[in-house]
Amino acid sequence: MGGSAFAFGVIVYLLKIKRFEIVGKLAVLLGFLGYSTAGMVLLFDLGQPLRFWHPIVFWQVHSLLWEITMCVVLYLTVLMAELIPIIVEHPFFDGHPLHEKFPILKKVVEFAKWLSHWLHKAGPVLAIVGLTLSLLHQASLGATYSVLYGRGVWFNQSAPTQFVFSAMSGGTALLFFMSVVVFRIMRPGLVKDDVLYDVARIAGGITLLLTYLRLWDWAVTNYYSFDRNITLQTEALNAVAPYSMAFWLGQALLPAIAGSLLLAAKSVKNFRYLMTASVIPIFAAILTRWNYNFAGLIASSTYDPYTPIIRINSYAPTWVEFAVATLVISYWLLAFSFAARYLPFKGKHEDHH
């Protein structure tokens, strides 16, 4: 859900479309919260969180999961570098009584302003690095499944591309949803409605492009060619769950409708309808990953390509896992609410009032 950060980093810093500057800052915030939340989940998932530094020191260059881990760590660092200038814009850093009362605090503030100045100048470089790391990260997530030839349902050479566009679609739709919440409800007047409509149109265009790729991928795999392995495994999955229906309804039909509505945002001009439509690409991005995990973990098939058997693996989370999930969700909501309330989100290139 943090896929809007690298997309709008390119739009603001490389394409120089400055009317998206304030929305781009919110995208950086959502990206940071998304990747830091993912980092927290992975930290607890390791089983031994104190060994979080092992992938950084002990390189496994032939492992896709190691490459994903390094991309997450490095991109989170880039997001922190992009977030610092936004934080330093707060009035606290421009002459607060505490600066004179505590000299060490004054020195810290001066260093933060100096660092922010140079990080802002390095914005285009950070945008390129962030784009590269995000593309590698999302594509490698899809490639993790596509290399498993023994699982016909998973072996999909377009999976890396679909994962990239899925992150961009869901992330930009979430950015539009939260932009309406922040800039029309919490702090109205910072961003013009036309800018929000343009964000919705970007989300709709990416969603429609992703849907087009998904349909062509399905056609190549199931219509223009025939793979007995894929057919048998899909039939076995459909016997235990609505696997195909989840694709056609949640990843094809509904995203096509939502994408069309978002793309026509300037004609619709109804934020309630557009916010409702933006939920669908977010749900579709989650559903994409759920389908992969469902086929691989919950309902796993045997490696026999001609007589696949689906095994349903049951699992009940413990109270510790529920507590960790509650902690992570609470962190995201608390951090976003504080940031949306107190970060200035200043624009330097146009008057938004």
Side-chain angles (χ1 to χ4, degrees), residues 202-277:
I202 293 172
I206 297 173
T207 301
L208 289 177
L209 178 59
L210 173 62
T211 306
Y212 175 80
L213 291 174
R214 280 175 176 158
L215 292 176
W216 265 111
D217 177 76
W218 175 88
V220 169
T221 305
N222 297 275
Y223 184 76
Y224 292 107
S225 64
F226 178 78
D227 189 328
R228 180 177 173 81
N229 188 8
I230 294 177
T231 302
L232 291 175
Q233 291 187 22
T234 303
E235 290 177 355
L237 286 170
N238 287 331
V240 297
Y243 187 76
S244 294
M245 187 183 73
F247 169 80
W248 286 109
L249 185 62
Q251 295 179 260
L253 179 60
L254 291 179
I257 297 173
S260 301
L261 187 63
L262 291 170
L263 191 61
K266 288 192 174 182
S267 299
V268 176
K269 290 188 176 181
N270 187 309
F271 281 106
R272 291 184 180 179
Y273 292 158
L274 294 174
M275 290 178 73
T276 303

Side-chain angles (χ1 to χ4, degrees), residues 36-71:
S36 59
T37 300
M40 291 175 64
V41 172
L42 292 174
L43 188 66
F44 288 109
D45 261 352
L46 288 176
Q48 298 197 29
L50 295 180
R51 296 184 179 179
F52 71 93
W53 52 272
H54 278 209
I56 302 174
V57 177
F58 304 111
W59 289 21
Q60 302 291 334
V61 295
H62 299 293
S63 170
L64 282 170
L65 292 178
W66 173 83
E67 189 263 345
I68 292 170
T69 302
M70 291 300 295
C71 285

Side-chain angles (χ1 to χ4, degrees), residues 185-202:
I185 300 174
M186 298 178 65
R187 301 168 68 178
L190 280 176
V191 175
K192 297 177 180 178
D193 287 352
D194 284 344
V195 175
L196 297 179
Y197 292 142
D198 286 337
V199 176
R201 294 177 65 195
I202 293 172

